[in-house]
């Protein structure tokens, strides 16, 4: 049984909630004292992995990255709970998440209409990533799709090279290889899949990487993270809502009418977690850049291992412990090699202008050059 499934069972036992899950017969539990020691060790590794953010970027950046990782883990758990209580409509749930996020971000800051079209390509990319990932899960296991998803930092790196945002150096490439290898080793479960699952999951990972790159391009043009969150989720809702209406509206309505209190709380909680995740992700990508944020995002796998050991008392294999150590080592190496990845800001040309036809950045650059010549 998946770690999140067992976590839901333990949560149900603790709060006397009616979770329809059975305790796995093949689960091997460890001594509580050994589990606590392992939990403390994993917590130290997690803190070590994100500690460079604190001394390189400051306390606010550290808090934003920590919120991003916490929201990423929370939404996976809450969505899984909602699914177990009848909400098996991914497009409807995603549309609800985007609607709640758009409303929350719109209340925080008034969006500018002039920025709407600049963000539309990001919404298309997000929609493509969701569709491809859901399709990949139909032809391959969760572990296999997650393993392919661990290569997001590497794909992001090569995308930045392609648009002139990064240079190919061993100092930058080696940490990414270490991060990906460590991430692969953290994942357990059936990893066999079809060629179609490999293709779909690879394309989904590509579009997830492209999402972060495009977000960073928008933020480089003086767009605020809140405005970016609003317009990306607004467009995303408009793109996904028709699919939900055509394929899932009756089942989703029936699930809402028959769901118990636990399922409804999980649905609403996942919507709030999605809002926190989207807002923190946009702020973090502005502070850290898409590559470094995706590297740190792989530490979410450590959270899964931490839950398995510290909360569930499960035995985690030596291969997983080795993978966690390699993953944290790669993250630390990547934080030190960040200066080799990005070029000077003056040498960069925003990719988003090529997609939207915006000339604002070019006009600003030309004006700045003229002022420099006059001085």
């Amino acid at each position: 049984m998946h770690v999140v499934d067992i976590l839901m069972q333990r949560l149900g036992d603790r709060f006397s909630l009616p979770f329809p899950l059975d305790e796995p017969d093949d689960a091997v539990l460890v001594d509580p004292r050994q589990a606590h020691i392992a939990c403390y060790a994993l917590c130290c590794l997690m803190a070590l992995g994100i500690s460079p953010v604190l001394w390189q970027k400051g306390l606010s950046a550290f808090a934003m990255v920590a919120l991003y990782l916490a929201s990423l883990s929370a939404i996976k758990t809450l969505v899984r709970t909602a699914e177990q209580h009848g909400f098996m409509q991914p497009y409807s749930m995603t549309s609800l998440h985007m609607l709640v996020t758009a409303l929350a971000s719109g209340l925080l800051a008034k969006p500018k209409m002039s920025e709407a079209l600049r963000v539309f390509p990001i919404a298309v990319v997000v929609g493509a990533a969701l569709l491809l990932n859901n399709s990949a899960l139909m032809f391959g296991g969760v572990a296999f799709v997650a393993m392919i998803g661990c290569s997001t930092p590497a794909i992001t790196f090569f995308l930045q090279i392609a648009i002139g945002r990064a240079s190919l150096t061993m100092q930058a490439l080696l940490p990414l290889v270490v991060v990906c290898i460590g991430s692969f080793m953290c994942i357990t479960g059936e990893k066999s899949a079809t060629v179609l699952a490999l293709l779909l999951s690879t394309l989904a990972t590509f579009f997830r990487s492209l999402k972060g790159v495009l977000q960073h391009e928008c933020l480089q043009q003086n767009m605020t993270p809140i405005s970016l969150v609003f317009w990306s989720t607004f467009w995303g809702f408009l793109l996904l809502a028709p699919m939900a209406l055509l394929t899932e509206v009756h089942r989703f309505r029936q699930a809402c009418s028959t769901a118990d209190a636990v399922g409804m709380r999980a649905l609403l909680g996942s919507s709030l977690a999605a809002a926190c995740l989207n807002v923190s992700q946009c702020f973090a990508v502005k502070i850290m850049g898409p590559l470094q944020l995706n590297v740190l995002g792989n530490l979410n796998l450590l959270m899964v291992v931490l839950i398995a050991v510290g909360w569930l008392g499960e035995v985690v294999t030596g291969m997983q412990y080795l993978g966690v150590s390699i993953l944290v080592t790669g993250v630390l190496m990547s934080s030190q090699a960040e200066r080799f990845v990005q070029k000077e800001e003056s040498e960069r040309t925003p990719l988003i202008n090529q997609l939207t036809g915006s000339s604002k950045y070019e006009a600003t650059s030309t004006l700045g050059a003229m002022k420099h010549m006059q001085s």
Side-chain angles (χ1 to χ4, degrees):
M1 182 176 290
H2 195 269
V3 168
V4 175
D5 294 335
I6 307 172
L7 174 60
M8 292 302 99
Q9 174 67 48
R10 297 300 174 82
L11 284 172
D13 293 341
R14 174 165 293 193
F15 295 103
S16 300
L17 301 178
F19 283 83
L21 294 175
D22 298 324
E23 189 71 27
D25 296 332
D26 57 347
V28 180
L29 303 180
V30 299
D31 181 74
R33 184 171 179 274
Q34 294 178 350
H36 290 158
I37 294 174
C39 182
Y40 294 142
L42 289 169
C43 287
C44 291
L45 284 174
M46 172 65 80
L48 180 63
I50 63 176
S51 61
V53 180
L54 181 60
W55 65 68
Q56 291 179 358
K57 303 292 185 178
L59 182 60
S60 59
F62 179 84
M64 197 59 64
V65 170
L67 177 61
Y68 167 69
L69 292 174
S71 301
L72 191 59
S73 300
I75 192 171
K76 290 181 179 180
T77 303
L78 291 168
V79 166
R80 184 62 177 170
T81 306
E83 289 177 347
Q84 293 171 347
H85 287 260
F87 293 101
M88 300 292 295
Q89 303 82 29
Y91 298 127
S92 299
M93 289 187 64
T94 305
S95 298
L96 177 62
H97 292 171
M98 290 187 173
L99 178 61
V100 171
T101 303
L103 292 175
S105 57
L107 292 175
L108 290 175
K110 183 179 179 180
K112 298 179 181 178
M113 291 297 298
S114 59
E115 298 174 336
L117 289 179
R118 291 162 59 189
V119 184
F120 182 73
I122 298 176
V124 174
V125 167
V126 171
L130 289 172
L131 289 174
L132 289 165
N133 189 76
N134 289 338
S135 300
L137 290 172
M138 296 174 61
F139 298 97
V142 175
F144 176 81
V145 176
M147 184 178 68
I148 300 300
C150 291
S151 61
T152 301
I155 296 178
T156 302
F157 177 56
F158 287 109
L159 279 173
Q160 289 193 300
I161 293 175
I163 66 172
R165 290 294 197 183
S167 301
L168 181 60
T169 62
M170 282 302 298
Q171 294 94 332
L173 184 60
L174 182 59
L176 299 181
V177 174
V178 175
V179 167
C180 291
I181 291 175
S183 301
F184 294 158
M185 296 170 66
C186 289
I187 297 175
T188 60
E190 179 58 47
K191 299 184 177 66
S192 61
T194 63
V195 175
L196 184 57
L198 174 62
L199 176 62
L200 291 172
S201 56
T202 301
L203 287 174
T205 305
F206 171 81
F207 280 106
R208 277 197 299 270
S209 302
L210 184 58
K211 167 196 168 185
V213 172
L214 292 179
Q215 285 179 327
H216 192 249
E217 297 295 333
C218 279
L219 293 170
Q220 291 300 306
Q221 301 178 67
N222 298 321
M223 182 182 293
T224 63
I226 294 296
S227 182
L228 177 58
V229 170
F230 173 81
W231 286 116
S232 59
T233 52
F234 172 81
W235 286 120
F237 173 76
L238 291 184
L239 291 173
L240 284 178
M243 298 182 62
L245 289 173
L246 289 174
T247 61
E248 300 175 348
V249 61
H250 297 296
R251 286 181 292 151
F252 185 72
R253 186 180 303 170
Q254 183 179 5
C256 290
S257 61
T258 59
D260 57 11
V262 178
M264 292 302 299
R265 284 199 297 267
L267 180 65
L268 296 177
S270 68
S271 301
L272 296 177
C276 291
L277 176 64
N278 283 286
V279 172
S280 61
Q281 190 266 343
C282 281
F283 275 99
V285 80
K286 181 176 183 179
I287 297 170
M288 305 299 303
L291 177 60
Q292 195 62 20
L293 182 61
N294 283 329
V295 169
L296 291 168
N298 275 20
L299 288 175
N300 182 60
L301 296 170
L302 200 155
M303 295 284 290
V304 174
V305 178
L306 181 61
I307 291 172
V309 175
W311 192 295
L312 307 180
E314 288 187 334
V315 172
V316 177
T317 65
M319 183 68 71
Q320 285 180 290
Y321 279 122
L322 180 60
V324 166
S325 302
I326 294 175
L327 172 59
V328 173
T329 301
V331 171
L332 295 175
M333 292 172 61
S334 180
S335 65
Q336 296 301 317
E338 186 179 3
R339 64 183 182 275
F340 295 104
V341 176
Q342 296 186 338
K343 292 184 176 180
E344 292 296 327
E345 185 72 26
S346 59
E347 299 178 4
R348 300 175 182 174
T349 302
L351 173 65
I352 198 70
N353 286 344
Q354 303 174 22
L355 298 176
T356 62
S358 173
S359 59
K360 179 179 179 181
Y361 183 88
E362 296 174 359
T364 304
S365 301
T366 304
L367 181 60
M370 291 175 63
K371 289 181 179 180
H372 179 72
M373 292 175 63
Q374 292 176 358
S375 60

